[in-house]
Amino acid sequence: MRLAINIDHIATLRNARGGKEPDPIEGAKICEEAGAEGIVCHLREDRRHIKDEDVYLLRRTVRTKLDLEMAATDEIVAIALEVKPDLVTFVPERRQELTTEGGLDVQAGKQRLQDVIKTFHQQNIAVSLFVDPVSAQIEASKEIAADFIEIHTGEYADATTERDQRTQLARVQKAARLAKSFGLGVNAGHGLNYLNIVPVIAIQEIDEVSIGHAVISRALVVGLDRAVREMGELVQGR
Ligand code: PXP
């Protein structure tokens, strides 16, 4: 199973001060040096974290694989076609949401998605669809020639009882199996962390997990000690 890291939150922190730090491009490089096999970023319509220039720079600097998450709007599609990421992942987008809330309704948006998938395929760019672990959505993804699906693991991650966690995990597993039986690549993500990842690793049909919040949060916790010591050395002359 491959690990791809979503670096959006580095940009969120940068944008809080409107400056250049922390730099998501440098963050992506550190992730790759640490063994990440892909870098994921989401260019949202409201540009709340990743900005256009980040995506262009990432295209030039990412050495592993660049996965651009995006809504299938004309504006973002045009940017993606210029940037040429290795993979585009279509997600539903609502302006008010804190993060992507649910999977795509592939059936409802079939015609539009089919058209944009064709456009990306003409440029040799692979396409993934972020879907809930629901058979009908996976079947629809296959029908419109997606290359990958990304299974939304949010409900699994949010499960509060062991029983519900088991039920949600079984849904993810079933979805992964079905997608694999169709010849689709299988990614998974949303809400995965250092604890709930463990049973997911056992699902052999999942090729890649995409993780952002948990890793960037942990980086702050494990990195804070060193950051304070370094500043202490400067300020206190230690
Ligand atoms: N996959 C998709 C499609 C997402 O929208 C997100 C959140 O940006 C993630 C994975 C990563 O989720 P998290 O930040 O909870 O790890």
Side-chain angles (χ1 to χ4, degrees):
M1 190 178 285
R2 296 187 301 270
L3 170 65
I5 300 291
N6 179 311
I7 57 164
D8 293 345
H9 286 323
I10 303 178
T12 302
L13 198 55
R14 173 196 62 189
N15 298 355
R17 277 292 175 97
K20 291 189 184 312
E21 283 189 327
D23 178 9
I25 314 303
E26 189 185 359
K29 187 164 175 267
I30 294 169
C31 292
E32 288 188 309
E33 282 169 3
E37 291 171 277
I39 299 296
V40 188
C41 68
H42 184 174
L43 185 65
R44 294 185 75 101
E45 200 190 355
D46 61 9
R47 311 300 200 270
R48 70 171 73 153
H49 35 57
I50 291 294
K51 297 184 184 298
D52 300 36
E53 54 269 33
D54 295 323
V55 183
Y56 286 95
L57 272 172
L58 285 166
R59 175 63 297 178
R60 281 169 36 203
T61 53
V62 166
R63 292 279 167 263
T64 52
K65 185 188 77 174
L66 180 62
D67 175 2
L68 180 62
E69 276 181 28
M70 54 183 280
T73 62
D74 288 344
E75 186 210 5
I76 308 289
V77 166
I79 293 169
L81 287 169
E82 207 175 86
V83 169
K84 294 191 171 43
D86 301 291
L87 179 70
V88 292
T89 298
F90 287 119
V91 298
E93 212 176 276
R94 284 199 313 115
R95 269 180 183 257
Q96 300 85 353
E97 67 191 358
L98 288 176
T99 178
T100 313
E101 282 171 351
L104 280 171
D105 190 344
V106 182
Q107 286 177 306
K110 218 166 175 178
Q111 193 55 54
R112 166 76 182 158
L113 286 168
Q114 190 161 28
D115 291 346
V116 282
I117 289 174
K118 244 186 225 153
T119 309
F120 279 98
H121 282 171
Q122 280 160 3
Q123 302 291 322
N124 290 320
I125 299 168
V127 178
S128 179
L129 302 178
F130 185 54
V131 293
D132 291 321
V134 169
S135 303
Q137 297 296 346
I138 296 163
E139 283 156 12
S141 303
K142 167 68 183 160
E143 276 167 35
I144 60 172
D147 305 286
F148 292 80
I149 57 154
E150 178 175 333
I151 300 171
H152 191 327
T153 51
E155 282 188 76
Y156 161 68
D158 288 343
T160 50
T161 63
E162 256 183 54
R163 188 162 167 220
D164 191 23
Q165 199 184 38
R166 269 201 306 275
T167 306
Q168 297 303 335
L169 185 71
R171 289 181 69 212
V172 172
Q173 183 161 30
K174 185 175 164 215
R177 279 204 184 130
L178 180 67
K180 257 288 122 100
S181 76
F182 289 156
L184 292 161
V186 184
N187 299 337
H190 213 285
L192 296 176
N193 61 34
Y194 291 81
L195 297 174
N196 65 24
I197 189 71
V198 177
V200 173
I201 296 164
I203 304 178
Q204 304 222 327
E205 291 83 1
I206 297 178
D207 300 306
E208 181 173 297
V209 286
S210 167
I211 306 182
H213 189 81
V215 171
I216 304 303
S217 304
R218 176 126 184 98
L220 269 182
V221 173
V222 298
L224 193 55
D225 175 272
R226 175 159 165 203
V228 172
R229 282 175 202 281
E230 285 176 4
M231 189 57 82
E233 278 170 21
L234 291 169
V235 171
Q236 298 153 345
R238 279 191 268 115

